[in-house]
């Protein structure tokens, strides 16, 4: 398997794992579900896998400060979330709907998730740098 395919797999699997952790944590904290049931979609694997496309960006920004890097990754994640969500919404299979959240844009992006995406972007940078 070539490096790009490996990076795609690593990003896809990490994203899926983080989503399961996040939604499982939410189910216990918000819904008081002791089983910590998580939720995801098969659509999410390739969407998370697309994070591997930031690999060249990681190399260009490796000596920049953490705030700049994390902010750029956050913007990339928001752009990906909006574009893939828009496409999936058009065909009736978008697995997320943030329309009930206060800080949302068209139900596809939650701006209050910026700190989370900041950290996830830096985590992707780390696994893509290894």
């Amino acid at each position: 398997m070539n490096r790009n395919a490996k990076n795609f797999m690593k990003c896809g699997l990490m994203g899926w794992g983080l989503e399961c952790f996040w939604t499982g944590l939410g189910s216990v904290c918000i819904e008081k579900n002791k089983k910590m049931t998580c939720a995801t979609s098969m659509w999410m694997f390739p969407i998370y896998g697309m994070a591997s496309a930031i690999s060249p960006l990681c190399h260009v920004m490796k000596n920049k400060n953490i705030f700049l890097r994390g902010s750029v990754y956050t913007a990339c994640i928001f752009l990906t979330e909006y574009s893939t969500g828009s496409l999936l919404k058009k065909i009736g299979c978008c697995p997320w709907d943030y329309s009930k959240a206060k800080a949302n844009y068209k139900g596809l992006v939650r701006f209050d998730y910026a700190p989370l995406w900041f950290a996830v972007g830096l985590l992707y940078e780390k696994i893509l740098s290894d």
Side-chain angles (χ1 to χ4, degrees), residues 67-121:
F67 182 75
L68 175 65
R69 295 190 337 261
S71 297
V72 168
Y73 301 144
T74 301
C76 289
I77 291 170
F78 279 147
L79 180 63
T80 302
E81 188 173 37
Y82 180 77
S83 59
T84 58
S86 295
L87 177 65
L88 291 172
K89 201 173 189 179
K90 284 181 183 172
I91 60 174
C93 53
C94 186
W96 67 91
D97 180 6
Y98 299 142
S99 58
K100 293 180 182 172
K102 288 182 184 177
N104 85 84
Y105 182 71
K106 296 188 178 184
L108 298 172
V109 175
R110 282 187 64 164
F111 294 112
D112 57 329
Y113 279 1
L116 177 68
W117 293 139
F118 186 97
V120 169

Side-chain angles (χ1 to χ4, degrees), residues 19-37:
E19 182 168 358
C20 286
F21 174 78
W22 183 255
T23 60
L25 190 63
S27 75
V28 74
C29 293
I30 297 167
E31 301 164 17
K32 308 297 183 217
N33 177 348
K34 292 179 185 177
K35 293 180 182 180
M36 297 183 78
T37 306

Side-chain angles (χ1 to χ4, degrees), residues 37-58:
T37 306
C38 65
T40 190
S41 163
M42 294 297 286
W43 289 109
M44 298 312 297
F45 179 79
I47 292 171
Y48 289 125
M50 288 170 45
S52 62
I54 67 165
S55 186
L57 188 58
C58 295

